Each structure stands twice: as C-alpha cells, then as structure tokens.
Amino acid sequence: MRPRASWKTRPRALAAATAMVLVAWLLAAVTAAPAGAAPVRYEAENAAISQGVVESNHAGYSGTGFVNGTNATGSYVEWTVSAASAGTATLGVRYANGTTVNRPMDVAVNGTVVSAARAFGGTGAWTTWATSTLTAPVNAGANTIRLTATSDAGGPNLDCLDVEVAAPGNDYQAEDATISQGVVESNHAGFTGTGFVNYDNVAGSSVEFAVNAASAGPASLTFRYANGTTTDRPMSVAVNGTTVVASQSFPGTSAWTNWQEISVNATLRAGANTVKATSTTATGGPNLDRLSVGAPVDTQPPTAPGQPVCAAADIGETTIKLSWPPSTDNAGVVAYDIYNLGQKIAEAPNPPGPPYTVTGLTADTTYTISVFARDAAGNVSASSPEATCRTRPGETQPPTAPTGLTSSNVGSTSVSLSWTASTDNVGVTAYQIRSDDNNAVIDQVTGSPPATSRNVTVLACGTAYRLHVVARDAAGNTSAKSNVVSFTTSGCGNTPGTPAQVSGGWDIPWDIAWSPDGSFALVTERDTFRVFRINKDGSGKTQVGTVPNSQTTDGEGGLMGVALSPTWNGTSDSEVFFMHTSSDGNRIAKMTFNGSALSGYTAIVTGIRKNRYHNGGRIKFGPDGQLYAATGDSQQGGLAQDRNSLNGKILRVTKSGAAAPGNPFGTRIYSYGHRNPQGITWDAAGRLWSSELGNSSVDELNLIEPGKNYGWPTCEGDCGTAGMTNPKRTWSVASASPSGIAYVNGALFMAALRGQRMWRIVLDGPNVVSANSYWNGTYGRLRAVEKVPGANALWFGTTNSDNNGNGTADRLFRSNVG
C-alpha cells in the first residue's frame, strides 16, 4: 500500500496557526461586489461591549455615539453581522485615537484571530476619525466580528464597522480534479464539497485542476488546505505546465480539521487552463480541499514617499509638523509609518497625512526622519529620503543638583546608591548615574517622580568607580552633578581585561570571521564593500577585494556578514560567504578566496527584502556545519510572522543555499518572529543565542530553538501570547541597541551601538545569571565581536564612522578574558 500518514498518527502542531491565518486571509483575493452593492454599516453602540461605555462627547461619529473602551487588556466590542453567502468580506473599522500611542487590537472573525495586534495609531485628535481596512472570510448567515484590546492602554474609540461581502469566486473541488498519488477522503470535518485529497507522502504527488477563465489576465489561486503536523509540506504550483511558484509553503495548521488558505498570483489564458499543485518533499502535500480563482492578490507596494520637510515654523518643543509628497499605490495608501533612524515614532493615517504632526518628542533633540507608505494589504514602500529636524529648546531652568549621594553594599557587579531629591520649576523626570571619569551614563532612574535610590547591577568586576548623579527634567535640562562616591567592585571570573588596539583606520568594520586554523581573520566594511585580511597578531592588514553587486541603503544595509567555510584551506576548499545588500534586496553570496584575493561570485540565497534599516546581516557556520543567517523585517513587521517570507528570521541553509536537512518547516527558516537580529553565536553546549534590536522599548537576548516564534511584531520584549517565546534578557534601547555577540569562557559578550559598551552576560545552562557592562562610552559604538581562536580572548570593532562622514575613525581591539 502506498505510504500515507494516517489521521490517527498525525500529531497536532504546536506552531502558531494564527499567524498563517492572518497572512492567508489578508492576502486572499477580493472579487468586486456586484454593481450597486454598498457596505453595510454596523454601529459600535449597538454591539456587545465588554469593559467599555457608549459616549458622544467627541464630534464626527456616525449613529448615536461611539464606544470608549476601558484602558485595559481584554476590553472588546463584538458585532454580529450577516452575509448572504460565504465569501471574502472587506471590514472597515472607523476609529479615533487622540493620543500618540498605538492602541493595538486583535481582530477575530467567528472566534478566529485574523489580524493579531492590529495597529490603531494616533489620529491627531479624538474628533479625527480614520478607517482601518482588512479582509477576512465569512460564513453564510450570522458571523461575529470582535475587536479586543491587547495592551493596558485599551483600544481606540470605536465608531462603527462597515462590512462588504464579495461575491463568491470560482471554486474547484480537489476531489473532482485529476489526482496522482493521493486519495479522496472525508474523515476530517470542515471540508467543502464531498471530501478532500490526502496526498501520498512522496515527492511528486499532485492534484491538477481544470480551470476555465472568461478572459486572459492575472488572477489569484487560493488553495484551501489543512496540515495537522508541525512540518511544512511545500508544493510547486504550475499553470498550463509552467511553474509559477517553485516551492510554496503550506505550514502546519495545528489540526487536520483546521482549514486555512494560501494564495498565489498567476496569469491565466482565456478558456481552458490547468493548475497543478505538486508536493516537493518526501512528506507529500497537505490535505487539499479546493482551489478558488479570483482577482489577483495585491503584492505591489506603494511608491516611496517624497522628501519629508519640517519647516522651522512647524517645529515645537515636543512636536514636529511633517509634510511630504505622497505615495501612490495600485489599491491605495492607508497609512504612513514615520521613523527616527531605525525606530518607529509615529503612524499617520491617510487621510489626514501628509501633513502630520508628530508629538511626544524630546525638546532640543535632533531627529533623523524617514517615511514609509503602507497599503491595505500590508505592503510597505521603500524609504523616503531622510530629513533632519531638531525640536526647539524648552524651558531652560535646570533642576537643582542632587545631594547626599552615598554608596553601600558593593559587590562584584553591583552597588546600592541613594541621594537627596532635586527640585525643578516643572518637575524632575529622571536621575542619571554617571561615571565621573568620562561622564558616560551607567544607569538611569525614571518615574513620576523618579526614585532617589538605585541598586545598580551592571557594573564591571574588579573595577574602581567614581560615580555621581545628575537630575533631568522634561525639557532635557540637566542639573549640576552631585557629590562623587568612590568604590571598587570585587573580582569575579570571565572578565575582559583592558583592551589593546589591534588595528586602526577602519570605515565601519561590520563583521570579523576567523580562518579555520585561527591564523588570520577577514573583516568587512559596510559602506565601502571592501574585504580585508588581517593576521591574528594585528599585522598584515591587506585589502583582498570587494564584494560585487553590493549597494548601500544609506542606513544599515551594505556589506555585512562574512563566514569562511569550516573546512577552508585556500586550495581544495576556498569558499567564503557574504551577506550584503544588492539592487534586488539582501542576499547571501559565495566567492572564492585563495588566501590573498577574492574572485568569482554566486548568489546562493536571494529574495530577502531590504530597506533603509532592519536588514539583519550576520552569518555564521554552526557546530553542525550549516550556515545560519540573521535577517531583519525590512521595516515591514508583518513579514516576521510570514513563513513564506525570509525576512525577520534566523535562516539555516547548506553551502548551496538550500534548506538545511532537519529544518523545522522543511524550508530555509529556522526560527521566526524577529525584528532586527544582528548577532548569533553558540555556547559551549551548542545552544544558539541571538541579540536583537527592539523598536522603542527593549532590546533582546534570545535563546534560539528550531521552529519557535519570537513574537515580533505582536510583542517587543516579554510576551504573554500563546505560542510565542520570551527573550532570556532585555535591556533598554538606550543602554544596548545590540549588534555582534560572541561566547568566551562561560559568558556571552554583546556589543552595544547606542549603548556604547560591551555587555558581559553570564550563563547557567539555558538561563542568564547576570549581565553587567564594560567600557561605557570609552570607545563609542561597538558592533563586531568575535572570540579569538585558541584563546580566552575577544576581538571587537568600533563603528563610529556611522553617519558622520569620517571614514577612518574606527578601530579593532583585543581583550583577554580571564
């Protein structure tokens, strides 16, 4: 009998099916409604309300009022809507958010979340109403649409829900198609028609549909399927004998009774067509229910916005009014995301932006702003040009200096400090604990008002300290310093010694890769695309070539990671690998290195989306001999949860770029749900660790395990969402913004960009025992860090040439770890 997985032996998946439901349904084809059809409006005040009240104190609402939800996680509004037939519904949520803080909500249809933590950003005022639009499947008859707040801020004010159900598309049942190496079954509930096709567990099993098209042109092919395993079951999709998708992911749906949809675009000819879905791995295809043919899926991003402008007259102490030439889109721009460097600081609905007033900023501060357009399908444009805007100084009276600073309980990495409070004409918002040697910020206390004591736990072992405290107010005014306290922490193991310079004259050295014998390293420069060889003792710095097809993004992209083959010897094995930005996106490429010069070039992984920021970029060979790569979300957060995208992932591939054997989904993806991971390393037990840049709240250290979801964009930092994995440690973005990471002698060492320090992270198996920092502010921004082969020592590189035009400012250092 042909091998086929029985429903009795197919285990339930632990994978997060919700994320794939969202991807499939948001990308589902939307067929035009019949002529004369119009959306049906359902008022929020007539819906079921949990933890909220009906109000009418803000003008511009429809009906008799709106719902003001309680500022609590879990508050919700639920509508019951009617559909004449099953199909795809366009849902328009009309809302207002008079704050500058996003108030995300889960959108669920008939109990299934179709848009997790959907953003409802500020609209500028409570009287300014905007509409957030998405698509989702509905059943014939009654359906429930529930919006549930996912943060303690609650949801926005909800006015109404507009619902328009598209006419059904052309459906073709799998059981009526031509089947090769598969059988029709009906033992799992929820299918349509009379059954479904259970593919044989072999590569090449297929289902071929005969499809009729009224006219030639583009169309969407939507496959309804179930996969009750935790293993991806990819299939190729061919139209009229031509492959349109070589390996389309069909990931686990958590149960054989959970049916989901995946859509691809293809061009049909008028009249008869064949559409064939063929399994590409030995696990066969998923259970396939039907094929629906409709209007093409929107995969076209908006055009990039034009140059943002912040006229001096439009800048306040905490606000900047921005205008920019708007983007265009085939379906329409719904919002603009506004970033300061790599951090999202605002979201402007369209309308009313542009122009748009960004609020909640810090007085007398420079912001480097870029704008991105987003459409209803979640496609995000390339970056606008950047604009430099500086807020006006606020009131200028500084707080009084803190007094009576004392220290106690000095340990190896900690000290207890206390002081007498400062006063201010407006109010103290923070106390900064600073080194009296270089004025670098060691720690910070915030609050309203901030506490006047702190147990500082990030100090270096065996180090003499002189510390003082300053007070800051909301306008950024800083007080005179307090008195100084002096003490020396006790010693502990695995501590880095005083760094010694290895080499100077570098221009943003991004990565360091050692030869297998440890005699030399290759070092990449991000913006020059140059590759250098340097000996272990720091001598012999020599350029060995450049990486072809490299481009900068005028942000974080360019020539990034480098990794020599684990068996490189310059003769029988001369392979070296790079991750870099190119004209078509980020890619992993392979070149030849004979010990003195680079030659040849082959791209082995392409299709990794790029943007100005969030490009990831680190590559390393693991203990298993496979190549691991960290990719960013390219400033399109939804891609991190999309397992058909290579963005926002840790990838694991062979030297040819293929999916490595044993990967959890049968694809190149090893883990997902990442925002911008830039560091990967393994500890002595072979556990994989990754450092990841957060947005505005926290940066992360993650223990990476195959198949796990690390939460972005649903969560930044710790996450209470089922199926998502929490980081092992978090830091404020001001004290970290991590890049490279290395394991040396029982501890992780994590380089910090904005934090301008090296974090030492002591491990106990899979857990973090402690984290303390070294060289705060001494060497500036740190990016690359690698263990020195055969020694308890590390090399690290500065990256102070970033954005300041100084192309020779950076250096490499060595520190012995004892």
Side-chain angles (χ1 to χ4, degrees):
M1 184 174 178
R2 289 187 301 263
R4 185 183 307 119
S6 166
W7 68 272
K8 293 180 181 179
T9 61
R10 290 174 170 176
R12 290 180 177 269
L14 298 178
T18 298
M20 293 313 303
V21 174
L22 168 62
V23 171
W25 286 350
L26 287 181
L27 295 179
V30 182
T31 305
V40 177
R41 175 158 289 187
Y42 297 85
E43 296 292 346
E45 61 269 25
N46 300 326
I49 304 166
S50 175
Q51 301 185 77
V53 295
V54 176
E55 295 181 347
S56 57
N57 56 327
H58 298 303
Y61 56 83
S62 67
T64 60
F66 56 85
V67 172
N68 179 357
T70 302
N71 293 353
T73 300
S75 56
Y76 69 81
V77 174
E78 181 177 280
W79 292 269
T80 299
V81 305
S82 181
S85 62
T88 299
T90 299
L91 309 178
V93 182
R94 193 167 188 262
Y95 73 99
N97 179 358
T99 75
T100 60
V101 178
N102 177 34
R103 295 193 166 196
M105 305 188 83
D106 283 346
V107 181
V109 177
N110 298 323
T112 298
V113 174
V114 298
S115 183
R118 188 172 185 82
F120 289 90
T123 58
W126 292 109
T127 54
T128 301
W129 299 87
T131 299
S132 178
T133 304
L134 69 155
T135 59
V138 292
N139 301 324
N143 297 265
T144 59
I145 314 292
R146 177 182 287 192
L147 270 69
T148 305
T150 61
S151 73
D152 291 341
N157 287 350
L158 295 176
D159 179 33
C160 59
L161 175 71
D162 291 334
V163 180
E164 183 175 1
V165 181
N170 294 318
D171 290 344
Y172 299 87
Q173 293 295 328
E175 64 268 25
D176 299 328
T178 300
I179 303 165
S180 175
Q181 300 186 86
V183 295
V184 176
E185 294 180 349
S186 58
N187 56 327
H188 298 304
F191 58 84
T192 60
T194 60
F196 55 86
V197 172
N198 178 358
Y199 280 74
D200 283 358
N201 293 351
V202 293
S205 51
S206 66
V207 175
E208 183 175 275
F209 300 86
V211 171
N212 187 66
S215 60
S220 69
L221 308 176
T222 301
F223 297 91
R224 190 171 190 263
Y225 79 101
N227 179 358
T229 76
T230 59
T231 301
D232 190 25
R233 296 193 165 195
M235 298 198 293
S236 66
V237 179
V239 175
N240 299 321
T242 300
T243 299
V244 294
V245 181
S247 183
Q248 174 64 47
S249 173
F250 285 85
T253 61
S254 80
W256 293 106
T257 53
N258 285 349
W259 299 89
Q260 297 177 18
E261 292 182 338
I262 291 287
S263 297
V264 299
N265 284 343
T267 299
L268 302 180
R269 61 194 178 199
N273 297 264
T274 60
V275 176
K276 188 174 185 179
T278 305
S279 63
T280 60
T281 68
T283 56
N287 286 351
L288 191 60
D289 179 37
R290 73 179 181 210
L291 168 69
S292 298
V293 181
V297 173
D298 180 15
T299 59
Q300 179 178 327
T303 61
Q307 175 68 58
V309 175
C310 46
D314 294 330
I315 298 178
E317 296 176 10
T318 59
T319 61
I320 295 173
K321 186 175 182 180
L322 284 174
S323 59
W324 58 87
S327 301
T328 59
D329 185 66
N330 61 318
V333 173
V334 297
Y336 291 95
D337 297 325
I338 301 170
Y339 279 77
N340 173 41
L341 297 175
Q343 294 182 322
K344 184 176 176 179
I345 57 173
E347 179 180 317
N350 187 38
Y356 182 77
T357 300
V358 183
T359 60
L361 305 178
T362 302
D364 201 24
T365 300
T366 297
Y367 290 86
T368 304
I369 290 178
S370 51
V371 181
F372 301 78
R374 180 160 36 89
D375 65 19
N379 299 306
V380 176
S381 74
S383 172
S384 73
E386 289 186 326
T388 301
C389 312
R390 187 172 183 86
T391 51
R392 296 181 184 277
E395 56 87 19
T396 59
Q397 181 175 329
T400 62
T403 59
L405 176 64
T406 62
S407 61
S408 62
N409 302 321
V410 178
S412 58
T413 61
S414 63
V415 66
S416 297
L417 302 178
S418 62
W419 57 90
T420 302
S422 302
T423 60
D424 185 68
N425 61 319
V426 175
V428 173
T429 59
Y431 291 103
Q432 291 184 339
I433 300 163
R434 297 185 176 185
S435 165
D436 202 57
D437 297 320
N438 60 9
N439 214 35
V441 177
I442 302 293
D443 206 348
Q444 181 168 273
V445 182
T446 59
S448 184
T452 57
S453 62
R454 182 72 160 185
N455 184 31
V456 181
T457 60
V458 296
L459 303 179
C461 305
T463 302
Y465 281 95
R466 288 169 42 83
L467 302 181
H468 66 258
V469 177
V470 298
R472 289 173 61 90
D473 62 20
N477 298 306
T478 301
S479 74
K481 69 181 186 181
S482 70
N483 59 297
V484 177
V485 294
S486 300
F487 57 88
T488 299
T489 55
S490 56
C492 55
N494 306 339
T495 60
T498 301
Q501 180 171 318
V502 172
S503 177
W506 294 88
D507 185 346
I508 313 179
W510 206 97
D511 201 8
I512 302 166
W514 290 97
S515 61
D517 67 1
S519 63
F520 70 89
L522 293 183
V523 181
T524 57
E525 289 188 336
R526 187 189 68 192
D527 292 351
T528 68
F529 319 135
R530 297 184 298 184
V531 182
F532 290 84
R533 171 178 169 150
I534 184 170
N535 294 328
K536 187 175 182 179
D537 62 3
S539 65
K541 176 185 175 183
T542 305
Q543 182 180 343
V544 297
T546 59
V547 175
N549 306 307
S550 295
Q551 289 187 357
T552 181
T553 65
D554 293 321
E556 292 175 343
L559 176 56
M560 298 172 288
V562 57
L564 285 139
S565 168
T567 55
W568 181 94
N569 56 23
T571 53
S572 60
D573 183 353
S574 56
E575 293 179 326
V576 61
F577 299 80
F578 299 95
M579 186 166 178
H580 68 94
T581 309
S582 65
S583 60
D584 60 355
N586 292 311
R587 57 171 65 169
I588 301 173
K590 176 169 61 177
M591 297 183 70
T592 296
F593 178 58
N594 62 8
S596 59
L598 289 171
S599 62
Y601 177 92
T602 303
I604 64 170
V605 178
T606 59
I608 307 169
R609 195 178 186 272
K610 68 176 180 179
N611 219 318
R612 186 184 295 276
Y613 299 102
H614 302 191
N615 294 291
R618 197 75 58 183
I619 58 173
K620 286 186 180 180
F621 279 97
D624 56 3
Q626 306 297 342
L627 183 62
Y628 292 73
T631 69
D633 68 4
S634 70
Q635 297 182 266
Q636 187 168 338
L639 294 181
Q641 292 294 322
D642 181 358
R643 297 218 304 261
N644 285 306
S645 168
L646 297 179
N647 287 92
K649 311 294 190 295
I650 303 294
L651 308 180
R652 179 174 175 265
V653 299
T654 66
K655 287 185 178 182
S656 67
N663 279 3
F665 309 116
T667 67
R668 292 168 167 144
I669 296 170
Y670 192 70
S671 64
Y672 65 109
H674 300 287
R675 179 180 179 271
N676 192 17
Q678 285 196 0
I680 49 179
T681 195
W682 288 263
D683 64 21
R687 288 177 286 255
L688 174 58
W689 296 85
S690 175
S691 55
E692 182 168 338
L693 291 104
N695 185 42
S696 58
S697 299
V698 296
D699 298 320
E700 300 179 356
L701 172 70
N702 287 301
L703 174 60
I704 304 299
E705 297 179 286
K708 288 199 172 180
N709 180 352
Y710 289 83
W712 178 257
T714 303
C715 304
E716 180 182 358
D718 288 343
C719 186
T721 302
M724 295 184 176
T725 302
N726 283 335
K728 290 294 186 178
R729 178 77 183 219
T730 62
W731 293 263
S732 71
V733 295
S735 63
S737 298
S739 187
I741 189 170
Y743 179 81
V744 183
N745 197 21
L748 297 172
F749 291 87
M750 186 176 77
L753 297 167
R754 184 176 170 187
Q756 299 188 15
R757 64 196 71 182
M758 184 71 72
W759 284 98
R760 167 184 170 271
I761 305 158
V762 178
L763 302 178
D764 180 10
N767 299 310
V768 172
V769 174
S770 63
N772 60 289
S773 62
Y774 288 78
W775 317 316
N776 295 23
T778 303
Y779 304 107
R781 293 161 56 85
L782 307 183
R783 186 184 300 276
V785 56
E786 285 294 328
K787 182 184 185 299
V788 177
N792 286 327
L794 55 87
W795 271 22
F796 65 92
T798 70
T799 181
N800 296 314
S801 298
D802 278 296
N803 304 316
N804 64 12
N806 186 346
T808 59
D810 291 315
R811 299 178 287 170
L812 297 181
F813 292 89
R814 174 179 172 133
S815 171
N816 295 324
V817 179

